[in-house]
């Protein structure tokens, strides 16, 4: 499936918003709901990791296709339906300008096209989607293929912010683009701070931190200076949760009132977790989330206590 053909399947973010959720209808709280978060299908990494050649390996991705198909099938069976399915980056493994990128993209688009049309896809950019040091060209490629690299939308009275975390990792090749996102984010957070939104949440690829705001810098987190500045800004605006991937393991922690949620991968696992998805229930007072293996979600669906939360008024 070409990017042009995919445009008819995916309601991709354009103009820094997602038209699957008309803001005039979605700004009002109407009661509890849930969504599904996944991360890192990363077609090609399992072969590359197994051979120890993560830079130029990844010439097979049949395992990832099967796992992502299982994820889509599990999501489509859920009742009630989730409000949306968000994928927090590293959609494919091949970096910009490397072999297999076109083929991995086409196969992932084909699998994601099977998501129930009543469950909007929310696609987040990761380092493998943009390159570790993105450029205007790689960002433009992502936008053509998957939609805007950062945007916002309202759903059920909740303001959702999708961010390009790669700009905070290394924007040396595109400083003007980073500045544009920073300015846009300040405007969005001003809205969050002033408007009566029930919650404000963020989706990005790289976690602010894995367990603690004071942890050492690592490949899998943002630097201390950056993470603290961003976290403080989000907290001042009333953001209560940041959902990410990138780590290929489950992790997370809290900083003041902010819940940093790190979800393991649909695809390659780098720790002891299972291939899985996170179910996130949003109630008037809180956001509750639980990670499920794909097998658990496929066979049993969502547990009764989470379903019960959605019956509360």
């Amino acid at each position: 499936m070409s990017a042009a053909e995919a445009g008819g399947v995916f309601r991709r973010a354009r103009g820094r918003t997602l038209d699957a959720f008309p803001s005039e209808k979605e700004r009002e709280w109407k009661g509890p709901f849930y969504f599904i978060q996944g991360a890192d299908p990363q077609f090609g990494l399992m072969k590359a990791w197994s051979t120890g050649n993560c830079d130029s390996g990844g010439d097979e991705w049949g395992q990832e296709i099967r796992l992502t198909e299982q994820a889509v099938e599990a999501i489509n069976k859920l009742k009630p339906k989730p409000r949306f399915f968000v994928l927090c980056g590293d959609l494919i493994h091949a970096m910009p300008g490397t072999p297999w990128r076109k083929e991995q993209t086409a196969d992932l688009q084909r699998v994601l096209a099977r998501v129930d049309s009543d469950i909007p896809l929310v696609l987040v950019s990761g380092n493998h989607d943009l390159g570790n040091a993105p450029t205007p060209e790689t960002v433009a490629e992502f936008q053509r293929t998957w939609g805007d690299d950062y945007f916002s939308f309202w759903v059920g009275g909740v303001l959702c912010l999708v961010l390009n975390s790669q700009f905070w990792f290394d924007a040396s090749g595109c400083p003007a683009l980073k500045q544009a996102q920073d300015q846009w984010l300040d405007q969005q957070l001003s809205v969050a701070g002033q408007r009566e939104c029930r919650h404000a949440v963020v989706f990005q690829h790289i976690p602010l931190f894995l367990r603690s705001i004071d942890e050492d810098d690592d490949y899998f987190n943002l630097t201390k200076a950056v993470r603290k500045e961003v976290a403080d800004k989000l907290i001042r605006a009333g953001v209560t949760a940041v959902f990410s991937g990138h780590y290929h393991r489950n992790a997370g922690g809290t900083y003041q009132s902010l819940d940093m949620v790190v979800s393991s991968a649909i695809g390659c696992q780098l720790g002891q977790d299972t291939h899985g998805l996170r179910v996130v229930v949003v109630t008037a007072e809180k956001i509750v989330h639980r990670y499920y293996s794909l097998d658990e979600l496929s066979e049993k669906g969502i547990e009764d206590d989470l379903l019960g939360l959605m019956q509360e008024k």
Side-chain angles (χ1 to χ4, degrees):
M1 180 183 297
S2 70
E5 291 170 330
V9 175
F10 308 126
R11 301 184 70 169
R12 298 180 295 168
R14 286 286 183 260
R16 303 302 176 198
T17 192
L18 193 64
D19 69 1
F21 297 105
S23 61
E24 65 275 10
K25 296 181 180 180
E26 294 290 346
R27 289 176 185 264
E28 182 181 348
W29 175 257
K30 296 183 177 67
F33 64 90
Y34 81 103
F35 63 86
I36 302 295
Q37 184 221 1
D40 301 275
Q42 204 162 342
F43 282 21
L45 177 59
M46 294 178 79
K47 169 68 178 296
W49 185 261
S50 69
T51 60
N53 184 9
C54 286
D55 290 333
S56 56
D59 59 337
E60 297 175 10
W61 49 92
Q63 289 175 287
E64 287 96 336
I65 288 176
R66 289 188 291 273
L67 289 164
T68 309
E69 286 175 339
Q70 184 181 2
V72 169
E73 290 168 4
I75 291 167
N76 287 345
K77 288 195 306 183
L78 293 174
K79 294 181 181 180
K81 293 178 181 178
R83 289 301 310 273
F84 60 89
F85 170 33
V86 57
L87 265 177
C88 282
D90 277 6
L91 307 177
I92 60 171
H93 180 63
M95 290 279 193
T98 65
W100 319 116
R101 185 169 173 86
K102 181 179 179 181
E103 293 84 355
Q104 290 171 5
T105 297
D107 280 342
L108 180 57
Q109 289 178 334
R110 175 179 53 79
V111 175
L112 292 180
R114 300 176 187 172
V115 175
D116 189 313
S117 61
D118 291 331
I119 305 173
L121 274 169
V122 179
L123 300 173
V124 183
S125 60
N127 59 304
H128 280 261
D129 307 310
L130 300 169
N132 286 322
T135 67
E137 291 74 23
T138 64
V139 172
E141 181 200 349
F142 181 88
Q143 292 172 336
R144 289 192 302 269
T145 305
W146 301 108
D148 283 348
D149 55 317
Y150 62 90
F151 56 96
S152 65
F153 62 96
W154 287 81
V155 55
V158 175
L159 177 60
C160 299
L161 303 173
V162 174
L163 303 181
N164 182 341
S165 57
Q166 216 55 37
F167 290 155
W168 291 324
F169 183 82
D170 184 352
S172 59
C174 53
L177 295 183
K178 176 189 182 298
Q179 183 180 23
Q181 177 179 259
D182 288 345
Q183 292 174 345
W184 173 89
L185 179 58
D186 287 344
Q187 294 169 348
Q188 294 293 313
L189 293 178
S190 176
V191 170
Q194 296 171 14
R195 181 171 288 278
E196 293 288 326
C197 60
R198 185 65 63 163
H199 301 282
V201 299
V202 165
F203 302 104
Q204 61 188 56
H205 181 61
I206 303 177
L208 298 174
F209 56 88
L210 298 175
R211 292 180 176 83
S212 168
I213 194 74
D214 297 316
E215 69 195 19
D216 292 339
D217 295 350
D218 186 271
Y219 171 79
F220 290 108
N221 60 20
L222 295 175
T223 63
K224 286 183 182 180
V226 170
R227 83 176 73 124
K228 184 73 161 49
E229 178 185 357
V230 173
D232 287 342
K233 180 185 293 190
L234 297 179
I235 290 167
R236 285 195 299 270
V239 174
T240 54
V242 175
F243 294 89
S244 70
H246 189 51
Y247 192 42
H248 293 256
R249 286 153 285 204
N250 286 310
T254 57
Y255 170 58
Q256 298 182 22
S257 57
L258 187 68
D259 186 14
M260 181 67 246
V261 184
V262 185
S263 292
S264 196
I266 293 173
C268 186
Q269 302 298 311
L270 302 185
Q272 301 303 311
D273 293 298
T274 56
H275 310 281
L277 295 165
R278 189 171 298 274
V279 174
V280 184
V281 177
V282 182
T283 75
E285 302 301 327
K286 59 187 176 180
I287 297 176
V288 180
H289 49 86
R290 188 172 302 161
Y291 187 83
Y292 287 80
S293 74
L294 294 181
D295 289 342
E296 288 174 324
L297 202 60
S298 299
E299 295 167 7
K300 300 178 182 178
I302 302 173
E303 290 165 287
D304 290 342
D305 63 327
L306 292 183
L307 290 171
L309 288 173
M310 284 181 285
Q311 304 307 314
E312 298 179 5
K313 300 300 180 184

